[in-house]
């Protein structure tokens, strides 16, 4: 089940190439993850970021931030490229790139009020 | 009645489905029993208004507002175990960890009944309450938390807990222990007895020792903390031990199971305990965290197994023993997920999604859970353990390569950030669960 959500390396490579040439980062997003599924995964974010990612405090709100920014940040966490990270590096590693991308889109589309 | 029948005919259902509205209606008789004319997509009774139950009630309503949700919780204010150690240390007031059910009722339309669920008839699908009411359900969700195993330690029963509090359910118990800490003289000993696994909040006792040490260091610096443990290792042990050494020197002494740490007898009136090999210890303040089991209503529902805990289908958190009863939180067997408020909230969302899907006749989604347990060594020094969980081969697994502990060599800045994030987490999960704005 875990394996199925993680694209094969060469598939990912291909997708990244396509993405690069098309200049559209949203291309990878579409694959296989239903909107209901993304919503369920997004529930795991609310424990620290508040319902719908809207709570701003010591931990920042994530709702309504640009998808590209969120995605880049999540991937940086996952790849260990974000210095002085406390916990997001450990959490981001539990999700596929496609899931992180879908989450970025999901929260970008929530009105932060 | 015939009109109603027509309303629930399959063609009507198909039409509604096609319009993306409410998907499936339960049996007509079920609807009539609610006493309202408004169509309900199904009736859910949630028992327990803690992290698991309150979250599930809210997220069922978010998933489908047409589902009729009733939450049964005896208390009007729910005090959280997370951050109750700060109350013990005098860093917070009890009020600041209390939450109510206003948002659930006013924003999400959850019916809240403040009564104790006393019994469950899983065949008639009926819950009987302490106020004489009974509630019918199509799906029941239990988030019963824990009960203490009274007398598992000789001499430790409910009456003894008034003298030697467990403080493992927050509220009045927290205040009894706080008073004992306040009454300690400089040089006195605080003793905490910790059970073997599994129990609620694996790092909790060690955070408690840390924050009590923080209090004693300021006010009674010659005092000692003795942890008598029923096991040989514990959550975040390396981080705790290093933190204790750095901040409290040798104030905290931990006695493992192998070194005669297991308490077998309690004399609560004299604040004295005896361990397995006959060693006696006397305390000025005595905290007995006894062995635990699922809250009693789980027994009544017939969902517990011989272990005293509740086995569940990991994809939906439906009981493996009784159909249409879902169980979340500390009461469940969900290892490697810990018995934590965070996990209960996460499980509540997965069970909510599964219940909404079941009413709609849809296959449940693939669950994902996260958990982060912050612990404070002092209010400015935080450590954490995090994990992401999924289902693989019908088992809950921690995703390999993800999760883990705070770095052993982290800077003071990182520890300070984690302490600030612990507060941020508390505020966020309180908002997510009860709508509390802090």
């Amino acid at each position: 089940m875990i394996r199925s959500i993680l694209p094969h390396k060469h598939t990912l490579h291909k997708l990244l190439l396509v993405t690069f040439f098309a200049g559209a980062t949203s291309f990878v997003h579409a694959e296989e993850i239903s909107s209901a599924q993304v919503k369920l995964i997004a529930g795991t974010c609310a424990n620290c970021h508040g319902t719908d990612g809207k709570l701003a405090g010591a931990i920042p709100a994530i709702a309504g931030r640009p998808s590209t920014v969120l995605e880049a940040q999540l991937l940086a966490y996952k790849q260990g490229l974000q210095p002085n990270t406390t916990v997001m590096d450990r959490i981001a590693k539990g999700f596929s790139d496609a899931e992180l991308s879908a989450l970025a889109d999901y929260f970008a589309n929530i009105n932060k009020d | 009645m015939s009109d109603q029948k027509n309303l629930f005919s399959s063609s009507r259902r198909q039409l509604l489905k096609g319009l993306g509205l409410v998907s499936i209606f339960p049996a007509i008789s079920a609807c009539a029993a609610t006493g309202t004319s408004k169509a309900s997509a199904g009736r859910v009774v949630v028992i327990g208004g803690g992290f698991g139950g309150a979250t599930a009630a809210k997220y069922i309503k978010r998933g489908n507002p047409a589902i009729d949700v009733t939450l049964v919780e005896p208390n009007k204010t729910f005090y959280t175990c997370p951050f109750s150690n700060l109350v013990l240390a005098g860093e917070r007031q009890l009020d600041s960890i209390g939450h109510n059910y206003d948002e659930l009722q006013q924003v999400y339309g959850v019916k809240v009944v403040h009564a104790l669920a006393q019994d469950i008839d899983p065949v008639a699908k009926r819950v009987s309450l302490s106020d004489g009411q009974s509630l019918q359900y199509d799906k029941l969700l239990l988030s019963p938390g824990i009960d203490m195993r009274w007398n598992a330690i000789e001499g430790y029963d409910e009456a003894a807990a008034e003298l030697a509090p467990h403080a493992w359910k927050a509220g009045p118990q927290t205040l009894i222990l706080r008073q004992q800490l306040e009454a300690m003289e400089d040089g006195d000993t605080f003793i905490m007895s910790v059970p073997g696994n599994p129990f609620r909040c694996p790092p909790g006792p060690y955070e408690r020792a840390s924050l009590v040490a923080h209090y004693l260091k300021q006010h009674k610096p010659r005092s000692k903390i003795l942890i008598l443990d029923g096991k040989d290792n514990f959550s975040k042990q390396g981080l705790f031990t290093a933190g204790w050494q750095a901040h409290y020197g040798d104030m905290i002494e931990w006695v493992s199971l192998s070194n005669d740490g297991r308490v077998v007898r309690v004399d609560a009136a004299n604040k004295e305990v005896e361990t397995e090999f006959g060693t006696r210890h006397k305390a000025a303040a005595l905290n007995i965290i006894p062995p635990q089991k699922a809250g009693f209503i789980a027994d009544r529902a017939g969902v517990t197994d011989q272990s005293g805990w509740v086995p569940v289908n990991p994809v939906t958190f439906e009981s493996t023993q009784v159909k249409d009863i879902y169980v979340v939180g500390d009461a469940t067997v969900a290892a490697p997920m810990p018995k934590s408020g965070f996990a209960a909230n996460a499980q509540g969302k997965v069970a909510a999604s599964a219940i909404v899907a079941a009413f709609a006749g849809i296959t449940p989604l693939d669950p994902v859970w996260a958990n982060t347990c912050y612990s404070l060594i002092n209010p400015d020094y935080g450590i954490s353990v995090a994990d992401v969980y999924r289902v693989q081969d019908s088992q809950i697994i921690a995703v390999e390569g993800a999760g883990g502990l705070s770095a052993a060599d982290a800077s003071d800045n990182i520890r300070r950030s984690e302490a600030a994030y612990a507060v941020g987490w508390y505020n966020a999960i309180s908002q997510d669960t009860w709508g509390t704005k802090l």
Side-chain angles (χ1 to χ4, degrees), chain A residues 84-104:
Chain A
N84 298 320
T85 302
T86 57
V87 75
M88 274 309 297
D89 50 349
R90 291 178 260 162
I91 291 171
K93 289 185 177 75
F95 297 88
S96 70
D97 287 5
E99 286 176 321
L100 294 178
S101 178
L103 285 170

Side-chain angles (χ1 to χ4, degrees), chain B residues 217 238-252 377:
Chain B
K217 185 181 172 183
L239 292 168
F240 272 114
T241 308
W244 290 344
Q245 197 58 48
H247 291 89
Y248 309 117
D250 56 1
M251 183 184 265
I252 300 173
I377 302 287

Side-chain angles (χ1 to χ4, degrees), chain A residues 1-2 5 36-37 40-41 43-44 46-52 55 58-59 84-87 90-91 93-95 99, chain B residues 58 62 342 345 349 365-366 368 372 384 388 390-391 401-406 418 420-421 424-425 428-429 431-432:
Chain A
M1 185 172 284
I2 305 290
I5 54 159
Q37 184 70 47
L40 183 65
I41 300 171
T44 63
N47 301 47
C48 294
H49 294 278
T51 304
D52 293 325
L55 193 74
I59 301 170
N84 298 320
T85 302
T86 57
V87 75
R90 291 178 260 162
I91 291 171
K93 289 185 177 75
F95 297 88
E99 286 176 321
Chain B
K58 169 171 166 174
R62 279 167 59 90
F342 196 124
N345 168 296
K349 287 167 186 164
L365 297 162
D366 291 337
V368 186
T372 304
S384 64
V388 177
R390 295 176 189 266
V391 176
L405 297 160
S406 307
E418 291 227 87
Y421 291 151
W425 163 76
I429 199 164
Q431 183 277 323
D432 191 39

